[in-house]
Amino acid sequence: MRSQVVFFILLQLLGTCICQFPRPCANSEGLRTKECCPIWDGDGSACGALSGRGFCTEVLVSDEPHGPQYPHTFFNRTCRCAGNYGGFNCGECRFGYWGPSCAEYRESVRRNILTMSPAEQQKFISYLNLAKNTINRDFVISTATRAEMGENGENPMFSDINTYDLFVWIHYYVSRDTFLGGPGNVWRDIDFAHESAAFLPWHRVFLAHWENEIRKLTGDFNFTIPYWDWRDAQNCQVCTDALMGGRSSLNPNLISPASVFSSWKVVCTQLEEYNNREVLCNGSSEGPLLRNPGNQDRNRVPRLPTTADVEFTLSLPNYETGAMDRFANMSFRNVLEGFGSPSTGLAVPGQSTMHNSLHMYMNGSMSSVQGSANDPIFLVHHAFIDSIFERWLRTHQPSRSSYPRANAPIGHNDGYYMVPFLPLYRNGDYFVSNKVLGYEYAYLLDPGQRFVQEFLTPYLQQAQEIWRWLLGAGIFGGVIVAIIAILLVVARRKWRRNQKRKRASSYGERQPLLQSSSEDGSASFQTTM
């Protein structure tokens, strides 16, 4: 009965947008009009309409059959961008395109974090920390439900948030429980990004969106998220102070003080408290980042995934099967997500495999769905999961129809928009090769390209990073050699002058070498040498 009531509410709210909040729309006017069509500064028009970049239009939600849903609604008009334009005001380019007219396609390469040079690794860590300490200039978060903000939006409740925590909040929001109104009336059986078909496309967009925000923040438009290839790993290879933080010697649940991540505070981790109070995560700090890799429940996660596990998962031909949930058998998505066995393909309740096993193995902030993105290992882990998704797409080359158009759990159908992104992205649009989105993985390149990316490029970059030192050392060495050469020349000249003096003195000698007495009548003579 409750499902029918909620479904009726959905019908009354078709055309609304469950989304994140651009600053220009996070105000009473945006809430009152339910419109988020910001001005593009390039031409002063909404959505860059005067330049043909996009236009403001109604949000049309798919009417394909799905499970019951109760959306958290804010906008029913947003920008729809044309061509290769993107962004909430069509002022940016869509993934993979660059330039003032977004006409240049460029393919970036995501690399293995373990093969990057120390300088490159440190740059990645510094970018993470910069994101953690910089308020995002484009987006804010909602700290209250739409109902709490008033019927006409007279009480807007939004908050600034740093760029890193913005994405923690997004991951929390997409999987949070839904408040249906009234004390204790919380609907827990809802997740727009996990346990069904949208798991892989949603996280693909999440990473691409995060990558784009880091590029905008740093001005480094060559930046890509690295991946951690954890196949056959015996431990947390990235859990070092040079990378994602080692273990604290004082408390095994904390990060080593030698790592910058030891000072990080987590957000959006107290789901039960939010439910009890019927409030949203407001981005406040909730304690230190927690991690204790390798001390997980071994009955649930006996080991990390192996190469054989990955290869079996890739062999499954069906993207989704059955009810398209965590109980699906022989489903590539379900096995890769970690609810199915990577040796039989059958659902294994009570076990965490593949993707899920890494989260549980970390035994801390990563082990809770809503708060897992607090740990930066989330990024390098999901980048590798995305690469496995890419391998499956290339191996099986599925048609768009292989992605479920109907009857998937709430929010997972092909035509549904991903929660809570703005600009809007449909699930099925990202059931495509990552090359369409402008990126590639180093280990999926052909051998020649892979050699350049994983071996030659790091060497050249390292040489470039130390060329000033090498030049200085060369100049210094040259100066030393020149000084020694000069000293040798001077010494040799001095020696030759001394030799000449000795010869000159021998030619002018007056003392005879042989003498005879005048009395014996012999002659006196000297010889020259």
Side-chain angles (χ1 to χ4, degrees), residues 9-204:
I9 294 174
L10 170 66
L11 294 176
Q12 303 303 309
L13 296 170
L14 282 175
T16 55
C17 170
I18 313 169
C19 46
Q20 65 194 102
F21 308 97
R23 286 185 181 277
C25 305
N27 49 49
S28 295
E29 179 66 12
L31 294 173
R32 182 183 63 80
T33 62
K34 289 193 174 184
E35 179 174 296
C36 185
C37 295
I39 300 296
W40 177 53
D41 291 338
D43 64 8
S45 67
C47 310
L50 293 178
S51 300
R53 299 180 74 97
F55 53 95
C56 187
T57 186
E58 297 287 332
V59 176
L60 299 178
V61 177
S62 169
D63 59 359
E64 292 288 351
H66 51 75
Q69 177 181 2
Y70 180 77
H72 188 150
T73 60
F74 286 85
F75 307 117
N76 58 19
R77 286 177 60 83
T78 62
C79 291
R80 182 181 299 173
C81 302
N84 295 329
Y85 298 115
F88 61 79
N89 62 353
C90 302
E92 300 177 9
C93 301
R94 67 185 179 94
F95 302 134
Y97 287 86
W98 305 79
S101 299
C102 299
E104 176 192 351
Y105 172 81
R106 188 190 306 173
E107 187 175 286
S108 303
V109 178
R110 293 178 178 173
R111 295 170 51 201
N112 187 336
I113 192 171
L114 298 178
T115 66
M116 293 164 60
S117 71
E120 291 173 317
Q121 292 172 344
Q122 188 53 47
K123 181 168 71 171
F124 174 55
I125 302 306
S126 68
Y127 283 1
L128 288 171
N129 202 45
L130 178 64
K132 185 72 170 180
N133 289 282
T134 305
I135 297 299
N136 190 273
R137 66 181 183 182
D138 291 329
F139 294 100
V140 294
I141 62 170
S142 167
T143 59
T145 64
R146 179 65 180 84
E148 291 177 291
M149 297 190 194
E151 184 176 347
N152 294 312
E154 59 271 16
N155 184 34
M157 299 175 71
F158 300 97
S159 176
D160 286 338
I161 195 165
N162 66 63
T163 294
Y164 189 92
D165 287 349
L166 168 66
F167 285 87
V168 177
W169 187 90
I170 287 173
H171 194 262
Y172 146 79
Y173 190 90
V174 74
S175 55
R176 74 178 182 86
D177 296 335
T178 301
F179 307 139
L180 299 177
N185 198 6
V186 177
W187 192 11
R188 298 174 185 270
D189 299 325
I190 184 170
D191 191 317
F192 295 96
H194 302 88
E195 302 187 22
S196 192
F199 169 69
L200 292 167
W202 189 94
H203 284 85
R204 171 161 284 192

Side-chain angles (χ1 to χ4, degrees), residues 92-98 106-111 116 124 127-128 131 136 163-164 166-167 170 203-227 378-380 382-384 386 421 425 434 437-442:
E92 300 177 9
C93 301
R94 67 185 179 94
F95 302 134
Y97 287 86
W98 305 79
R106 188 190 306 173
E107 187 175 286
S108 303
V109 178
R110 293 178 178 173
R111 295 170 51 201
M116 293 164 60
F124 174 55
Y127 283 1
L128 288 171
N136 190 273
T163 294
Y164 189 92
L166 168 66
F167 285 87
I170 287 173
H203 284 85
R204 171 161 284 192
V205 167
F206 179 88
L207 292 181
H209 195 10
W210 192 91
E211 204 167 55
N212 188 52
E213 287 298 311
I214 294 298
R215 288 170 175 168
K216 288 158 54 179
L217 172 64
T218 63
D220 181 358
F221 291 95
N222 293 315
F223 169 77
T224 54
I225 299 172
Y227 60 89
F378 179 99
L379 295 167
V380 296
H382 270 276
F384 192 61
D386 184 69
F421 297 118
Y425 307 104
N434 56 30
L437 308 179
Y439 68 94
E440 175 62 294
Y441 289 96

Side-chain angles (χ1 to χ4, degrees), residues 341-396:
S341 167
S343 57
T344 68
L346 302 178
V348 282
Q351 296 284 304
S352 292
T353 68
M354 300 302 286
H355 156 267
N356 289 346
S357 70
L358 268 292
H359 280 274
M360 302 308 297
Y361 175 86
M362 292 304 161
N363 194 33
S365 301
M366 270 272 279
S367 299
S368 167
V369 175
Q370 287 77 20
S372 58
N374 277 290
D375 193 328
I377 290 178
F378 179 99
L379 295 167
V380 296
H381 168 45
H382 270 276
F384 192 61
I385 290 295
D386 184 69
S387 78
I388 298 174
F389 176 35
E390 180 63 20
R391 289 183 63 191
W392 185 86
L393 288 170
R394 296 184 192 184
T395 299
H396 299 280

Side-chain angles (χ1 to χ4, degrees), residues 263-431:
S263 64
W264 277 29
K265 304 300 180 185
V266 299
V267 300
C268 302
T269 62
Q270 300 176 358
L271 188 65
E272 288 305 316
E273 180 179 344
Y274 310 146
N275 286 350
N276 292 336
R277 296 167 50 203
E278 294 194 29
V279 297
L280 297 180
C281 165
N282 61 12
S284 298
S285 296
E286 297 174 349
L289 179 62
L290 301 177
R291 188 194 304 151
N292 192 345
N295 289 306
Q296 78 282 4
D297 178 356
R298 293 186 179 275
N299 291 322
R300 183 168 183 174
V301 181
R303 58 173 174 77
L304 293 177
T306 65
T307 298
D309 293 336
V310 172
E311 295 306 313
F312 176 86
T313 303
L314 287 167
S315 73
L316 296 169
N318 296 315
Y319 183 74
E320 278 293 0
T321 63
M324 300 177 283
D325 58 16
R326 61 180 173 175
F327 301 107
N329 293 319
M330 309 305 290
S331 156
F332 165 73
R333 187 277 313 160
N334 201 41
V335 173
L336 181 56
E337 187 170 358
F339 297 107
S341 167
S343 57
T344 68
L346 302 178
V348 282
Q351 296 284 304
S352 292
T353 68
M354 300 302 286
H355 156 267
N356 289 346
S357 70
L358 268 292
H359 280 274
M360 302 308 297
Y361 175 86
M362 292 304 161
N363 194 33
S365 301
M366 270 272 279
S367 299
S368 167
V369 175
Q370 287 77 20
S372 58
N374 277 290
D375 193 328
I377 290 178
F378 179 99
L379 295 167
V380 296
H381 168 45
H382 270 276
F384 192 61
I385 290 295
D386 184 69
S387 78
I388 298 174
F389 176 35
E390 180 63 20
R391 289 183 63 191
W392 185 86
L393 288 170
R394 296 184 192 184
T395 299
H396 299 280
Q397 299 185 358
S399 65
R400 176 77 174 255
S401 62
S402 298
Y403 190 93
R405 296 185 58 85
N407 300 316
I410 303 168
H412 289 262
N413 284 345
D414 178 305
Y416 267 81
Y417 294 114
M418 297 179 180
V419 176
F421 297 118
L422 193 67
L424 301 174
Y425 307 104
R426 290 185 188 273
N427 294 321
D429 291 339
Y430 293 87
F431 190 68

